[in-house]
Amino acid sequence: MARPPERPGFPARIDLGPRPALAKRPAPGVPPASAAARVPAPAALPGAARDPIPARARMVQALAASGIHDPEVLRAMGAVDRHRFVDHALVAQAYEDTALPIGLGQTISKPSVVARMVELLMQGVARGADGRPGRVLDIGTGCGYQALVLAQLASEVYSVERLRELHEKARANLRPLRVPNVHLIVGDGMQGFASGAPYAGIVSAAGGDKVPEAWIDQLAYGGRIVAPTVQAGGAQALVVIDKTRQAIRQTVLEGVHFVPLKSGVS
Ligand code: SAH
């Protein structure tokens, strides 16, 4: 029997897979027991009703129901084919709210975590005269999914990965999509990426003990960093850093579980 293609093209069999928990409909007459009942109807989300990938439209509805309010972020999440970034065996789970392995012990983050971080970034990012964020630095390219989500929102995305094999994987994932505003770099993201600085925003998918000084230096005034950071006690939390000419303000938010931020390239 012929082997299935590595990267299934549309329409793939995604919609046959298990559905996101939030998309379940309560039986008629049963009072709502969860957020499921508050999922807005597809028509409430621009474009969702026409999404050719129903599982993706349901994922966007679940994100909206779970507290992602920025319509631009929801649009970006609905515009990217997450199934193109996971291995063939995992395609059926591509639009579930789970982290999935991408090789070398790394994972593609849950859609809800990607959306949360991108929304936090967009709320505090420096914007140009056209109202759009300019250059954004994405630390930890992994398979390239989050870089492509960011590319829907910012004018340029610089994405750094320390593992060459994953960098190549991201390159292969993005190549057929011909995305002109994503720049993939192999490097130690702990140093940031000075050539693209200053950045309107910086977002990291890997968590260190503290936010590296290089990121703060390379952030534009009026810009924001969103990064998981290990707190006293050893657990990670999302940290937001806002930089103005007057001050660097840090806010610690909810607990998260990201892969560790490591130095060096391999
Ligand atoms: N945003 C990615 C998530 C990948 S997981 C996606 O959408 O798939 C986080 C990634 O951060 C891993 O690939 C890991 O190798 C990478 N990473 C960890 N430390 C890093 C560093 N110092 N510089 C660049 N990448 C790093």
Side-chain angles (χ1 to χ4, degrees):
M1 212 174 81
R3 223 171 138 250
E6 286 284 309
R7 290 280 178 279
F10 172 76
R13 293 197 318 257
I14 311 156
D15 198 28
L16 301 178
R19 295 176 176 213
L22 290 182
K24 278 187 200 135
R25 297 233 172 87
V30 174
S34 70
R38 296 192 300 274
V39 173
L45 295 169
R50 293 182 301 280
D51 193 327
I53 304 174
R56 182 172 64 184
R58 284 196 296 273
M59 177 194 82
V60 174
Q61 288 162 32
L63 292 173
S66 67
I68 302 298
H69 296 306
D70 184 336
E72 287 295 296
V73 174
L74 292 170
R75 182 186 59 77
M77 295 297 293
V80 176
D81 288 344
R82 194 168 185 260
H83 68 273
R84 291 184 186 274
F85 292 85
V86 300
D87 288 341
H88 179 74
L90 300 171
V91 160
Q93 296 168 61
Y95 296 99
E96 288 178 34
D97 197 26
T98 50
L100 294 169
I102 54 172
L104 304 182
Q106 310 301 316
T107 53
I108 177 174
S109 310
K110 284 183 190 196
S112 59
V113 169
V114 173
R116 167 77 171 143
M117 294 195 57
V118 173
E119 186 173 65
L120 281 170
L121 192 75
M122 289 301 129
Q123 283 166 355
V125 80
R127 289 174 189 269
D130 60 355
R132 277 191 97 189
R135 292 187 299 277
V136 165
L137 179 63
D138 175 49
I139 307 290
T141 311
C143 65
Y145 172 75
Q146 183 168 299
L148 187 55
V149 172
L150 290 167
Q152 314 302 308
L153 298 157
S155 44
E156 302 290 330
V157 178
Y158 291 81
S159 184
V160 186
E161 172 57 57
R162 64 180 289 275
L163 300 176
R164 288 176 206 283
E165 205 176 313
L166 282 180
H167 164 83
E168 289 304 331
K169 189 173 208 169
R171 195 168 279 293
N173 287 339
L174 293 174
R175 191 176 295 121
L177 306 176
R178 298 175 194 280
V179 196
N181 61 334
V182 175
H183 312 282
L184 300 180
I185 299 126
V186 179
D188 179 357
M190 288 178 89
Q191 315 293 324
F193 181 63
S195 319
Y199 296 101
I202 300 177
V203 60
S204 176
D209 291 340
K210 63 192 234 351
V211 169
E213 280 302 318
W215 300 359
I216 298 170
D217 292 346
Q218 292 172 23
L219 185 67
Y221 292 113
R224 172 172 279 193
I225 297 172
V226 180
T229 306
V230 178
Q231 303 296 300
Q236 277 181 351
L238 265 190
V239 166
V240 168
I241 291 180
D242 291 306
K243 177 176 171 180
T244 63
R245 287 190 189 276
Q246 292 73 38
I248 307 281
R249 203 182 59 227
Q250 175 170 305
T251 314
V252 179
L253 301 170
E254 70 268 20
V256 283
H257 300 280
F258 281 84
V259 297
L261 184 69
K262 293 186 177 170
S263 60
V265 170
S266 69

